[in-house]
PDB file of all heavy atoms in Angstrom:
ATOM      1  N   SER D 178      13.396  40.954 -40.264  1.00 79.00           N
ATOM      2  CA  SER D 178      12.057  40.536 -40.458  1.00 79.00           C
ATOM      3  C   SER D 178      11.226  41.741 -40.816  1.00 79.00           C
ATOM      4  O   SER D 178       9.956  41.701 -40.873  1.00 79.00           O
ATOM      5  CB  SER D 178      11.556  39.947 -39.137  1.00 79.00           C
ATOM      6  OG  SER D 178      11.790  40.791 -38.051  1.00 79.00           O
ATOM      7  N   TYR D 179      11.790  42.884 -41.027  1.00 63.00           N
ATOM      8  CA  TYR D 179      11.069  44.070 -41.440  1.00 63.00           C
ATOM      9  C   TYR D 179      12.064  45.006 -42.158  1.00 63.00           C
ATOM     10  O   TYR D 179      13.178  44.747 -42.275  1.00 63.00           O
ATOM     11  CB  TYR D 179      10.502  44.748 -40.142  1.00 63.00           C
ATOM     12  CG  TYR D 179      11.546  45.129 -39.207  1.00 63.00           C
ATOM     13  CD1 TYR D 179      11.965  46.475 -39.153  1.00 63.00           C
ATOM     14  CD2 TYR D 179      12.099  44.174 -38.302  1.00 63.00           C
ATOM     15  CE1 TYR D 179      13.065  46.789 -38.208  1.00 63.00           C
ATOM     16  CE2 TYR D 179      13.006  44.547 -37.461  1.00 63.00           C
ATOM     17  CZ  TYR D 179      13.516  45.835 -37.396  1.00 63.00           C
ATOM     18  OH  TYR D 179      14.532  46.158 -36.496  1.00 63.00           O
ATOM     19  N   HIS D 180      11.457  46.112 -42.713  1.00 48.00           N
ATOM     20  CA  HIS D 180      12.293  47.032 -43.513  1.00 48.00           C
ATOM     21  C   HIS D 180      12.849  48.157 -42.854  1.00 48.00           C
ATOM     22  O   HIS D 180      13.043  49.223 -43.394  1.00 48.00           O
ATOM     23  CB  HIS D 180      11.459  47.460 -44.722  1.00 48.00           C
ATOM     24  CG  HIS D 180      11.070  46.281 -45.647  1.00 48.00           C
ATOM     25  ND1 HIS D 180      12.002  45.531 -46.301  1.00 48.00           N
ATOM     26  CD2 HIS D 180       9.924  45.718 -45.975  1.00 48.00           C
ATOM     27  CE1 HIS D 180      11.409  44.634 -47.032  1.00 48.00           C
ATOM     28  NE2 HIS D 180      10.113  44.628 -46.855  1.00 48.00           N
ATOM     29  N   GLY D 181      12.979  48.138 -41.548  1.00 47.00           N
ATOM     30  CA  GLY D 181      13.681  49.220 -40.753  1.00 47.00           C
ATOM     31  C   GLY D 181      12.633  50.216 -40.250  1.00 47.00           C
ATOM     32  O   GLY D 181      13.027  51.045 -39.465  1.00 47.00           O
ATOM     33  N   GLY D 182      11.424  50.276 -40.721  1.00 50.00           N
ATOM     34  CA  GLY D 182      10.455  51.221 -40.229  1.00 50.00           C
ATOM     35  C   GLY D 182       9.554  50.582 -39.180  1.00 50.00           C
ATOM     36  O   GLY D 182      10.105  49.797 -38.321  1.00 50.00           O
ATOM     37  N   THR D 183       8.341  50.807 -39.223  1.00 48.00           N
ATOM     38  CA  THR D 183       7.444  50.251 -38.224  1.00 48.00           C
ATOM     39  C   THR D 183       6.414  49.222 -38.856  1.00 48.00           C
ATOM     40  O   THR D 183       5.653  48.627 -38.098  1.00 48.00           O
ATOM     41  CB  THR D 183       6.621  51.371 -37.520  1.00 48.00           C
ATOM     42  OG1 THR D 183       5.873  52.042 -38.489  1.00 48.00           O
ATOM     43  CG2 THR D 183       7.470  52.276 -36.742  1.00 48.00           C
ATOM     44  N   THR D 184       6.483  49.090 -40.094  1.00 49.00           N
ATOM     45  CA  THR D 184       5.555  48.078 -40.673  1.00 49.00           C
ATOM     46  C   THR D 184       6.253  46.749 -41.023  1.00 49.00           C
ATOM     47  O   THR D 184       7.333  46.793 -41.658  1.00 49.00           O
ATOM     48  CB  THR D 184       4.903  48.645 -41.987  1.00 49.00           C
ATOM     49  OG1 THR D 184       5.697  49.557 -42.563  1.00 49.00           O
ATOM     50  CG2 THR D 184       3.449  49.114 -41.663  1.00 49.00           C
ATOM     51  N   SER D 185       5.622  45.698 -40.674  1.00 54.00           N
ATOM     52  CA  SER D 185       6.216  44.400 -40.955  1.00 54.00           C
ATOM     53  C   SER D 185       6.183  43.928 -42.377  1.00 54.00           C
ATOM     54  O   SER D 185       5.073  44.214 -43.064  1.00 54.00           O
ATOM     55  CB  SER D 185       5.449  43.347 -40.096  1.00 54.00           C
ATOM     56  OG  SER D 185       5.821  42.055 -40.486  1.00 54.00           O
ATOM     57  N   SER D 186       7.171  43.335 -42.858  1.00 59.00           N
ATOM     58  CA  SER D 186       7.134  42.791 -44.260  1.00 59.00           C
ATOM     59  C   SER D 186       6.450  41.402 -44.171  1.00 59.00           C
ATOM     60  O   SER D 186       6.008  40.955 -45.245  1.00 59.00           O
ATOM     61  CB  SER D 186       8.489  42.701 -44.844  1.00 59.00           C
ATOM     62  OG  SER D 186       9.198  41.716 -44.092  1.00 59.00           O
ATOM     63  N   GLY D 187       6.317  40.828 -43.003  1.00 70.00           N
ATOM     64  CA  GLY D 187       5.824  39.503 -42.859  1.00 70.00           C
ATOM     65  C   GLY D 187       6.750  38.428 -43.437  1.00 70.00           C
ATOM     66  O   GLY D 187       6.404  37.331 -43.408  1.00 70.00           O
ATOM     67  N   ASP D 212       8.434  37.408 -31.156  1.00 94.00           N
ATOM     68  CA  ASP D 212       7.186  38.181 -31.262  1.00 94.00           C
ATOM     69  C   ASP D 212       6.200  37.371 -32.079  1.00 94.00           C
ATOM     70  O   ASP D 212       5.568  36.469 -31.596  1.00 94.00           O
ATOM     71  CB  ASP D 212       7.608  39.510 -31.876  1.00 94.00           C
ATOM     72  CG  ASP D 212       6.535  40.504 -31.972  1.00 94.00           C
ATOM     73  OD1 ASP D 212       5.580  40.512 -31.101  1.00 94.00           O
ATOM     74  OD2 ASP D 212       6.567  41.359 -32.859  1.00 94.00           O
ATOM     75  N   PHE D 261       6.076  48.027 -26.889  1.00 94.00           N
ATOM     76  CA  PHE D 261       7.224  48.147 -27.766  1.00 94.00           C
ATOM     77  C   PHE D 261       8.459  48.532 -26.916  1.00 94.00           C
ATOM     78  O   PHE D 261       8.442  49.543 -26.264  1.00 94.00           O
ATOM     79  CB  PHE D 261       7.008  49.120 -28.825  1.00 94.00           C
ATOM     80  CG  PHE D 261       8.174  49.015 -29.839  1.00 94.00           C
ATOM     81  CD1 PHE D 261       8.079  48.077 -30.822  1.00 94.00           C
ATOM     82  CD2 PHE D 261       9.163  49.864 -29.902  1.00 94.00           C
ATOM     83  CE1 PHE D 261       9.104  47.872 -31.790  1.00 94.00           C
ATOM     84  CE2 PHE D 261      10.169  49.741 -30.797  1.00 94.00           C
ATOM     85  CZ  PHE D 261      10.142  48.734 -31.743  1.00 94.00           C
ATOM     86  N   ASP D 268      16.090  47.554 -30.857  1.00 96.00           N
ATOM     87  CA  ASP D 268      16.145  48.925 -31.492  1.00 96.00           C
ATOM     88  C   ASP D 268      14.748  49.422 -31.888  1.00 96.00           C
ATOM     89  O   ASP D 268      13.793  48.586 -31.998  1.00 96.00           O
ATOM     90  CB  ASP D 268      16.951  48.847 -32.830  1.00 96.00           C
ATOM     91  CG  ASP D 268      16.229  48.157 -33.900  1.00 96.00           C
ATOM     92  OD1 ASP D 268      15.870  46.973 -33.738  1.00 96.00           O
ATOM     93  OD2 ASP D 268      16.034  48.745 -34.990  1.00 96.00           O
ATOM     94  N   TYR D 269      14.678  50.721 -32.090  1.00 94.00           N
ATOM     95  CA  TYR D 269      13.620  51.290 -32.842  1.00 94.00           C
ATOM     96  C   TYR D 269      14.374  52.112 -33.979  1.00 94.00           C
ATOM     97  O   TYR D 269      15.125  52.968 -33.689  1.00 94.00           O
ATOM     98  CB  TYR D 269      12.703  52.198 -32.023  1.00 94.00           C
ATOM     99  CG  TYR D 269      11.772  52.911 -32.828  1.00 94.00           C
ATOM    100  CD1 TYR D 269      10.863  52.120 -33.672  1.00 94.00           C
ATOM    101  CD2 TYR D 269      11.670  54.337 -32.914  1.00 94.00           C
ATOM    102  CE1 TYR D 269       9.890  52.829 -34.454  1.00 94.00           C
ATOM    103  CE2 TYR D 269      10.734  55.012 -33.745  1.00 94.00           C
ATOM    104  CZ  TYR D 269       9.782  54.174 -34.451  1.00 94.00           C
ATOM    105  OH  TYR D 269       8.907  54.821 -35.271  1.00 94.00           O
ATOM    106  N   GLN D 270      14.172  51.667 -35.216  1.00 92.00           N
ATOM    107  CA  GLN D 270      14.882  52.304 -36.394  1.00 92.00           C
ATOM    108  C   GLN D 270      16.321  52.363 -36.176  1.00 92.00           C
ATOM    109  O   GLN D 270      16.968  53.419 -36.341  1.00 92.00           O
ATOM    110  CB  GLN D 270      14.227  53.666 -36.652  1.00 92.00           C
ATOM    111  CG  GLN D 270      12.787  53.527 -37.128  1.00 92.00           C
ATOM    112  CD  GLN D 270      12.130  54.828 -37.542  1.00 92.00           C
ATOM    113  OE1 GLN D 270      12.588  55.858 -37.145  1.00 92.00           O
ATOM    114  NE2 GLN D 270      11.094  54.713 -38.295  1.00 92.00           N
ATOM    115  N   GLU D 271      16.931  51.298 -35.679  1.00 94.00           N
ATOM    116  CA  GLU D 271      18.349  51.083 -35.413  1.00 94.00           C
ATOM    117  C   GLU D 271      18.901  51.917 -34.211  1.00 94.00           C
ATOM    118  O   GLU D 271      20.120  51.869 -33.969  1.00 94.00           O
ATOM    119  CB  GLU D 271      19.205  51.280 -36.728  1.00 94.00           C
ATOM    120  CG  GLU D 271      18.906  50.284 -37.765  1.00 94.00           C
ATOM    121  CD  GLU D 271      19.226  48.894 -37.353  1.00 94.00           C
ATOM    122  OE1 GLU D 271      20.088  48.615 -36.587  1.00 94.00           O
ATOM    123  OE2 GLU D 271      18.392  47.998 -37.723  1.00 94.00           O
ATOM    124  N   LEU D 282       9.631  52.479 -24.893  1.00 95.00           N
ATOM    125  CA  LEU D 282       9.745  53.681 -25.686  1.00 95.00           C
ATOM    126  C   LEU D 282       8.514  54.611 -25.449  1.00 95.00           C
ATOM    127  O   LEU D 282       7.412  54.072 -25.481  1.00 95.00           O
ATOM    128  CB  LEU D 282      10.047  53.382 -27.142  1.00 95.00           C
ATOM    129  CG  LEU D 282      10.505  54.469 -28.018  1.00 95.00           C
ATOM    130  CD1 LEU D 282      11.875  54.980 -27.568  1.00 95.00           C
ATOM    131  CD2 LEU D 282      10.603  53.950 -29.430  1.00 95.00           C
ATOM    132  N   ARG D 284       5.511  56.619 -26.265  1.00 90.00           N
ATOM    133  CA  ARG D 284       4.592  56.262 -27.394  1.00 90.00           C
ATOM    134  C   ARG D 284       4.670  57.383 -28.364  1.00 90.00           C
ATOM    135  O   ARG D 284       4.540  57.127 -29.641  1.00 90.00           O
ATOM    136  CB  ARG D 284       3.229  56.051 -26.797  1.00 90.00           C
ATOM    137  CG  ARG D 284       2.149  55.602 -27.802  1.00 90.00           C
ATOM    138  CD  ARG D 284       0.856  55.280 -27.146  1.00 90.00           C
ATOM    139  NE  ARG D 284       1.049  54.066 -26.354  1.00 90.00           N
ATOM    140  CZ  ARG D 284       0.854  52.776 -26.870  1.00 90.00           C
ATOM    141  NH1 ARG D 284       0.544  52.781 -28.136  1.00 90.00           N
ATOM    142  NH2 ARG D 284       1.019  51.806 -26.108  1.00 90.00           N
ATOM    143  N   LEU D 286       6.951  58.909 -29.582  1.00 91.00           N
ATOM    144  CA  LEU D 286       8.147  58.874 -30.511  1.00 91.00           C
ATOM    145  C   LEU D 286       7.910  57.917 -31.704  1.00 91.00           C
ATOM    146  O   LEU D 286       8.558  58.053 -32.695  1.00 91.00           O
ATOM    147  CB  LEU D 286       9.372  58.416 -29.712  1.00 91.00           C
ATOM    148  CG  LEU D 286       9.867  59.473 -28.664  1.00 91.00           C
ATOM    149  CD1 LEU D 286      10.949  58.864 -27.838  1.00 91.00           C
ATOM    150  CD2 LEU D 286      10.350  60.749 -29.464  1.00 91.00           C
ATOM    151  N   PHE D 287       7.006  56.957 -31.474  1.00 82.00           N
ATOM    152  CA  PHE D 287       6.736  56.078 -32.598  1.00 82.00           C
ATOM    153  C   PHE D 287       5.309  56.204 -33.219  1.00 82.00           C
ATOM    154  O   PHE D 287       5.117  55.772 -34.338  1.00 82.00           O
ATOM    155  CB  PHE D 287       7.118  54.650 -32.350  1.00 82.00           C
ATOM    156  CG  PHE D 287       6.342  53.941 -31.277  1.00 82.00           C
ATOM    157  CD1 PHE D 287       5.086  53.574 -31.442  1.00 82.00           C
ATOM    158  CD2 PHE D 287       6.984  53.669 -29.982  1.00 82.00           C
ATOM    159  CE1 PHE D 287       4.393  52.941 -30.338  1.00 82.00           C
ATOM    160  CE2 PHE D 287       6.285  53.180 -28.906  1.00 82.00           C
ATOM    161  CZ  PHE D 287       4.933  52.727 -29.068  1.00 82.00           C
ATOM    162  N   ALA D 288       4.425  56.656 -32.430  1.00 75.00           N
ATOM    163  CA  ALA D 288       3.047  56.710 -32.947  1.00 75.00           C
ATOM    164  C   ALA D 288       2.259  57.789 -32.391  1.00 75.00           C
ATOM    165  O   ALA D 288       1.497  57.664 -31.461  1.00 75.00           O
ATOM    166  CB  ALA D 288       2.377  55.319 -32.622  1.00 75.00           C
ATOM    167  N   PRO D 289       2.486  59.032 -32.814  1.00 63.00           N
ATOM    168  CA  PRO D 289       1.901  60.166 -32.250  1.00 63.00           C
ATOM    169  C   PRO D 289       0.436  60.050 -31.996  1.00 63.00           C
ATOM    170  O   PRO D 289      -0.162  60.468 -30.948  1.00 63.00           O
ATOM    171  CB  PRO D 289       2.166  61.302 -33.157  1.00 63.00           C
ATOM    172  CG  PRO D 289       3.271  60.818 -34.030  1.00 63.00           C
ATOM    173  CD  PRO D 289       3.267  59.337 -34.034  1.00 63.00           C
ATOM    174  N   SER D 291      -1.504  56.990 -32.285  1.00 60.00           N
ATOM    175  CA  SER D 291      -1.889  55.557 -32.401  1.00 60.00           C
ATOM    176  C   SER D 291      -1.945  54.976 -30.980  1.00 60.00           C
ATOM    177  O   SER D 291      -1.203  55.312 -30.032  1.00 60.00           O
ATOM    178  CB  SER D 291      -0.882  54.825 -33.265  1.00 60.00           C
ATOM    179  OG  SER D 291      -0.998  53.496 -32.863  1.00 60.00           O
ATOM    180  N   SER D 293      -1.701  51.606 -30.570  1.00 61.00           N
ATOM    181  CA  SER D 293      -0.981  50.379 -30.576  1.00 61.00           C
ATOM    182  C   SER D 293       0.486  50.525 -30.846  1.00 61.00           C
ATOM    183  O   SER D 293       0.907  51.508 -31.675  1.00 61.00           O
ATOM    184  CB  SER D 293      -1.593  49.407 -31.568  1.00 61.00           C
ATOM    185  OG  SER D 293      -1.632  49.970 -32.809  1.00 61.00           O
ATOM    186  N   PRO D 294       1.303  49.717 -30.349  1.00 65.00           N
ATOM    187  CA  PRO D 294       2.749  49.762 -30.643  1.00 65.00           C
ATOM    188  C   PRO D 294       3.043  49.480 -32.057  1.00 65.00           C
ATOM    189  O   PRO D 294       2.191  48.877 -32.799  1.00 65.00           O
ATOM    190  CB  PRO D 294       3.363  48.708 -29.671  1.00 65.00           C
ATOM    191  CG  PRO D 294       2.305  47.874 -29.248  1.00 65.00           C
ATOM    192  CD  PRO D 294       1.009  48.633 -29.471  1.00 65.00           C
ATOM    193  N   PRO D 295       4.256  49.869 -32.583  1.00 66.00           N
ATOM    194  CA  PRO D 295       4.571  49.579 -33.990  1.00 66.00           C
ATOM    195  C   PRO D 295       4.634  48.019 -34.216  1.00 66.00           C
ATOM    196  O   PRO D 295       5.019  47.341 -33.337  1.00 66.00           O
ATOM    197  CB  PRO D 295       5.858  50.166 -34.193  1.00 66.00           C
ATOM    198  CG  PRO D 295       6.432  50.356 -32.863  1.00 66.00           C
ATOM    199  CD  PRO D 295       5.326  50.463 -31.943  1.00 66.00           C
ATOM    200  N   SER D 296       4.202  47.610 -35.390  1.00 59.00           N
ATOM    201  CA  SER D 296       4.409  46.240 -35.704  1.00 59.00           C
ATOM    202  C   SER D 296       5.726  46.099 -36.470  1.00 59.00           C
ATOM    203  O   SER D 296       6.057  46.930 -37.246  1.00 59.00           O
ATOM    204  CB  SER D 296       3.233  45.609 -36.537  1.00 59.00           C
ATOM    205  OG  SER D 296       3.139  46.574 -37.694  1.00 59.00           O
ATOM    206  N   VAL D 297       6.463  45.018 -36.123  1.00 62.00           N
ATOM    207  CA  VAL D 297       7.830  44.965 -36.710  1.00 62.00           C
ATOM    208  C   VAL D 297       7.921  43.669 -37.447  1.00 62.00           C
ATOM    209  O   VAL D 297       7.080  42.805 -37.389  1.00 62.00           O
ATOM    210  CB  VAL D 297       8.918  44.944 -35.571  1.00 62.00           C
ATOM    211  CG1 VAL D 297       9.024  46.414 -35.099  1.00 62.00           C
ATOM    212  CG2 VAL D 297       8.560  44.008 -34.526  1.00 62.00           C
TER     213      VAL D 297
END
Side-chain angles (χ1 to χ4, degrees):
S178 52
Y179 58 98
H180 296 296
T183 58
T184 24
S185 171
S186 66
D212 185 28
F261 193 77
D268 73 305
Y269 175 58
Q270 296 185 336
E271 293 304 324
L282 191 61
R284 189 170 288 272
L286 292 171
F287 60 76
S291 158
S293 55
S296 53
V297 286

